Amino acid sequence: MRFIFVRHPQTIANEIGYIYGKTDYPYTELGQKQCALAIEAATGFQCDQLVSSPLGRARHLAEGIAKNKDMMMILDEALEEMHYGILEGLTVDEGQVKYPEVMERFLKGDDDFTIPEGEDVEHFFFRVHSFLEQCLEKNEDVLIVSHGGVIRTAIEYLLDAEEGFSWSLEIGNGSIIEIVCEDGYHRLLNMINQPE
């Protein structure tokens, strides 16, 4: 079976550098171009299922892929980005001024730290891992449209890599990553990065 991950195109928040997960922002002009390119590229991948995060920046791209492939799209909340609580919609600099202690813990990447009003990291990992396990049980090729944090978490889980490994990979907006799972082995087969 194969996992084909597609990251949503660039949004205004990506361009500005906001910390954001659950909050939706529209695509930039570049993001609109990335969307068209990602739809065209993703349409070439064979898959049994197309599953997307319900958040608009991913769903819009998935709708375009579904239309091109003439297939049904499934929305699954397990694929939503992590909720960054009180840091949502702030730049790192703004967060350091407004919530210095929270930002210090956040930037350290403490797994046991939950941003106030945000999602617990363990819960985030659990929901992404559970989704992947369900896919593995079905043993079908699945195309997943989601977010950077979800995709990085999925790559590390599927490749049994140490936490943080995925940050060595360039996974820009509109990127496509293909992972093949055969005979108990999972390997990264293909990466397509859109212009930034």
Side-chain angles (χ1 to χ4, degrees), residues 72-131:
M72 187 179 75
M73 174 186 70
I74 300 166
L75 297 177
D76 194 320
E77 291 180 354
L79 296 175
E80 289 185 357
E81 186 60 282
M82 186 173 169
H83 193 310
Y84 293 101
I86 61 173
L87 299 181
E88 289 263 338
L90 300 177
T91 65
V92 170
D93 289 344
E94 289 168 343
Q96 287 174 328
V97 170
K98 197 168 182 181
Y99 305 110
E101 293 176 8
V102 173
M103 278 303 299
E104 184 180 356
R105 295 285 303 275
F106 172 63
L107 293 174
K108 276 186 185 174
D110 293 344
D111 284 349
D112 62 344
F113 173 65
T114 301
I115 298 167
E117 300 176 26
E119 183 176 10
D120 178 87
V121 174
E122 285 188 15
H123 178 264
F124 173 69
F125 287 162
F126 176 78
R127 67 175 165 88
V128 174
H129 296 169
S130 296
F131 171 83

Side-chain angles (χ1 to χ4, degrees), residues 15-196:
E15 185 177 49
I16 294 170
Y18 287 151
I19 299 165
Y20 79 118
K22 298 290 189 184
T23 313
D24 252 330
Y25 293 87
Y27 295 157
T28 59
E29 186 176 336
L30 174 59
Q32 291 171 9
K33 291 176 185 173
Q34 290 173 337
C35 185
L37 290 169
I39 288 170
E40 183 179 348
T43 301
F45 286 89
Q46 294 298 316
C47 62
D48 301 303
Q49 279 196 343
L50 169 57
V51 189
S52 175
S53 158
L55 296 174
R57 58 193 186 271
R59 189 185 70 242
H60 178 74
L61 171 57
E63 287 168 350
I65 296 169
K67 183 177 178 182
N68 265 21
K69 292 181 77 62
D70 191 27
M71 68 183 299
M72 187 179 75
M73 174 186 70
I74 300 166
L75 297 177
D76 194 320
E77 291 180 354
L79 296 175
E80 289 185 357
E81 186 60 282
M82 186 173 169
H83 193 310
Y84 293 101
I86 61 173
L87 299 181
E88 289 263 338
L90 300 177
T91 65
V92 170
D93 289 344
E94 289 168 343
Q96 287 174 328
V97 170
K98 197 168 182 181
Y99 305 110
E101 293 176 8
V102 173
M103 278 303 299
E104 184 180 356
R105 295 285 303 275
F106 172 63
L107 293 174
K108 276 186 185 174
D110 293 344
D111 284 349
D112 62 344
F113 173 65
T114 301
I115 298 167
E117 300 176 26
E119 183 176 10
D120 178 87
V121 174
E122 285 188 15
H123 178 264
F124 173 69
F125 287 162
F126 176 78
R127 67 175 165 88
V128 174
H129 296 169
S130 296
F131 171 83
L132 297 171
E133 285 298 328
Q134 290 170 14
C135 292
L136 288 166
E137 285 176 16
K138 290 179 183 175
N139 198 32
E140 295 178 336
D141 294 343
V142 57
L143 194 153
I144 296 162
V145 183
S146 192
H147 311 270
V150 172
I151 294 170
R152 289 183 187 283
T153 299
I155 288 171
E156 290 174 4
Y157 185 74
L158 291 171
L159 299 183
D160 196 24
E162 64 181 65
E163 192 176 327
F165 158 79
S166 64
W167 290 99
S168 67
L169 304 174
E170 183 181 346
I171 305 174
N173 295 107
S175 293
I176 300 174
I177 298 96
E178 182 180 13
I179 294 178
V180 175
C181 305
E182 295 176 316
D183 302 322
Y185 296 99
H186 303 177
R187 60 191 169 93
L188 184 63
L189 182 67
N190 194 8
M191 284 189 71
I192 302 170
N193 283 299
Q194 303 298 350
E196 298 217 350

